[in-house]
């Protein structure tokens, strides 16, 4: 079998690889970035398991005594709440009524005959838990896993919504220019003149609590960085040859904006998405800590941190430690991954 040769008699050149293939190859060579990628993927799997109630679904179960200490720590007398004094129990007088005075005595007598049929087994509460318990005796590990799922859910979907808003406005501003660009720049300047945290608190106070509210609030307040980035790229790329060629064959504005130009800045949007996800996870923790976050029937890292000051005053530190470790590992891995992605997907670096 003969090898195909080109007109000059040399073997054909190797097929060119895409920016994504070259970026993936560079990312694999970056050991810190590659390990960070696997850590982030592990957190995402935990988040998916939490959304499906496969992980942390039993976080509401009160399986231990209040503030049960971790199993690996030697318990002390201060770690368990003291029992109620017997004198206090005896102090409250018990007022008994005769059957003639009790209006539901007949119903109670009839129900008493079937007590044995429906008597439930009392749940035994454990004195210690693997990583301790909270005030209601709920397992801190289960709460942390469920809180991880909630916080990542808010961060990922908030970043996606923010990216869509910023991309749409930035593309329109950079591509059309003129009055459209002037108006959107004016709107951007007015919006960024208000501090981010003040905007977040204002929107959250008006909208109420809940996961959906937090996602919409964060998307409406965090699109400005994406807008500035996309606008600059569209101003630079709208005069390139491939856009002029698309214009020559009669392609519409929407096709040129989102089919021809947008894929060429996708690597920048991926890095921006990673940055937004980390920032929104932090914002969610701040909002929940201040009482504007998730609903009381839900749990997140922020809501767990909200309970921490009261617990720390009493010497119960294990819930604070669990949230701090979980959040620190994710944020650090995400930050290292963003740096690695920025280096791997840089066209100038890939070309070397």
């Amino acid at each position: 079998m003969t090898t195909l040769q080109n007109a000059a008699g040399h073997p054909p050149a190797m097929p060119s690889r895409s920016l994504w293939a070259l970026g993936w190859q560079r990312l694999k060579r970056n050991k810190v970035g590659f390990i960070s990628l696997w850590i982030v993927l592990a957190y995402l799997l935990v988040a998916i398991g939490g959304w499906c109630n496969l992980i942390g679904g039993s976080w509401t179960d009160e399986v231990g005594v209040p503030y049960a200490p971790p199993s690996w720590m030697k318990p002390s007398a201060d770690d368990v709440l003291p029992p109620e004094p017997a004198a206090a129990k005896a102090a409250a007088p018990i007022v008994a009524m005769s059957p003639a005075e009790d209006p539901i005595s007949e119903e109670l007598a009839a129900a008493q005959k079937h007590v044995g049929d429906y008597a439930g087994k009392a749940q035994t509460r454990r004195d210690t838990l693997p990583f301790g318990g909270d005030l209601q005796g709920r397992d801190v590990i289960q709460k942390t896993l469920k809180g991880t799922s909630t916080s990542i859910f808010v961060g990922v979907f908030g970043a996606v919504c923010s990216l869509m808003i910023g991309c749409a406005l930035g593309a329109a501003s950079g591509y059309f220019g003129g009055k459209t660009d002037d108006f959107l720049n004016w709107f951007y300047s007015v919006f960024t003149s208000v501090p981010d945290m003040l905007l977040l608190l204002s929107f959250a106070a008006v909208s109420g609590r809940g996961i959906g509210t937090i996602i919409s609030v964060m998307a409406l307040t965090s699109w400005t960085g994406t807008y500035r980035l996309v606008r600059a790229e569209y101003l630079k790329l709208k005069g390139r040859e491939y856009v002029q060629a698309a214009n020559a064959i009669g392609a519409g504005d929407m096709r040129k904006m989102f089919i021809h130009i947008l894929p060429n800045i996708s690597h920048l949007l991926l890095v921006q998405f990673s940055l937004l996800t980390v920032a929104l996870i932090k914002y969610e923790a701040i909002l929940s800590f201040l009482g504007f976050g998730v609903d009381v029937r839900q749990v997140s890292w922020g809501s767990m941190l909200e309970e921490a000051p009261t617990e720390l005053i009493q010497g119960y530190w294990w819930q604070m430690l669990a949230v701090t470790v979980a959040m620190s590992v994710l944020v650090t891995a995400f930050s290292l991954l963003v740096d690695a992605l920025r280096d791997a997907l840089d066209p100038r670096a890939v070309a070397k």
Side-chain angles (χ1 to χ4, degrees):
M1 182 175 180
T2 59
T3 304
L4 295 177
Q5 295 181 345
N6 56 18
H10 299 290
M14 294 294 293
S16 60
R17 288 177 292 178
S18 66
L19 174 67
W20 294 103
L22 293 171
W24 173 248
Q25 184 178 6
R26 287 175 58 85
L27 181 62
K28 287 194 294 185
R29 289 202 296 262
N30 187 335
K31 294 182 179 180
V32 175
F34 199 61
I35 293 173
S36 301
L37 173 64
W38 284 108
I39 293 175
V40 171
L41 289 177
Y43 269 87
L44 290 177
L45 288 177
V46 170
I48 294 173
W51 299 340
C52 303
N53 278 332
L54 299 176
I55 297 177
S58 58
W59 73 273
T60 55
D61 296 346
E62 300 176 359
V63 294
V65 297
Y67 294 128
S71 304
W72 43 268
M73 187 183 74
K74 184 179 179 181
S76 63
D78 297 332
D79 293 331
V80 183
L81 293 179
E84 186 179 358
K89 296 182 180 179
I94 300 176
V95 180
M97 292 187 298
S98 64
E101 297 173 334
D102 191 352
I104 58 171
S105 59
E106 296 180 2
E107 288 80 359
L108 287 175
Q112 194 70 25
K113 300 176 181 178
H114 304 283
V115 168
D117 300 336
Y118 303 102
K121 184 183 294 184
Q123 184 181 8
T124 347
R125 294 201 172 197
R126 298 167 59 184
D127 293 330
T128 61
L129 292 171
F131 210 89
D134 62 0
L135 175 61
Q136 285 78 32
R138 297 172 297 193
D139 192 351
V140 167
I141 291 181
Q142 294 288 329
K143 285 185 69 177
T144 305
L145 291 174
K146 190 65 176 180
T148 300
S149 173
T150 304
S151 296
I152 294 179
F153 180 88
V154 170
V156 168
F157 282 91
V160 168
C161 296
S162 174
L163 213 62
M164 292 173 63
I165 296 173
C167 277
L169 296 180
S173 179
Y175 180 83
F176 292 110
K179 294 183 178 179
T180 303
D181 187 32
D182 292 339
F183 172 75
L184 290 175
N185 273 330
W186 169 82
F187 181 68
Y188 164 81
S189 301
V190 172
F191 207 84
T192 52
S193 63
V194 184
D196 292 344
M197 188 51 61
L198 182 59
L199 275 176
L200 276 172
L201 293 176
S202 303
F203 276 105
V206 171
S207 306
R209 305 178 66 168
I211 293 181
T213 299
I214 298 178
I215 291 176
S216 29
V217 164
M218 290 182 174
L220 291 173
T221 56
S222 59
W223 56 269
T224 52
T226 306
Y227 165 81
R228 185 173 61 248
L229 173 68
V230 173
R231 175 182 176 272
E233 291 298 318
Y234 268 72
L235 286 172
K236 181 176 67 176
L237 297 177
K238 68 178 181 180
R240 293 292 176 89
E241 292 80 4
Y242 61 86
V243 181
Q244 296 175 1
N247 187 44
I249 62 175
D253 290 332
M254 293 297 107
R255 183 174 181 83
K256 286 184 286 185
M257 289 169 61
F258 298 110
I259 301 299
H260 294 279
I261 299 180
L262 186 62
N264 287 279
I265 64 171
S266 55
H267 60 287
L268 298 176
L269 296 180
L270 178 61
V271 174
Q272 185 69 11
F273 169 76
S274 304
L275 292 172
L276 278 173
T277 302
V278 174
L280 296 188
I281 287 175
K282 295 178 182 177
Y283 282 156
E284 183 278 326
I286 294 173
L287 285 177
S288 296
F289 180 78
L290 295 176
F292 295 100
V294 296
D295 192 80
V296 292
R297 295 165 295 180
Q298 299 163 335
V299 64
S300 69
W301 285 341
S303 63
M304 295 176 69
L305 288 174
E306 185 183 5
E307 304 172 8
T310 306
E311 296 176 346
L312 290 176
I313 291 174
Q314 303 176 67
Y316 307 124
W317 46 264
W318 35 87
Q319 181 165 227
M320 178 71 176
L321 178 63
V323 179
T324 303
V325 170
M327 184 181 294
S328 300
V329 171
L330 176 62
V331 172
T332 303
F334 241 125
S335 301
L336 294 174
L337 179 60
V338 168
D339 292 338
L341 286 175
R342 187 183 293 115
D343 296 338
L345 296 176
D346 186 356
R348 293 169 296 182
V350 172
K352 294 179 181 179

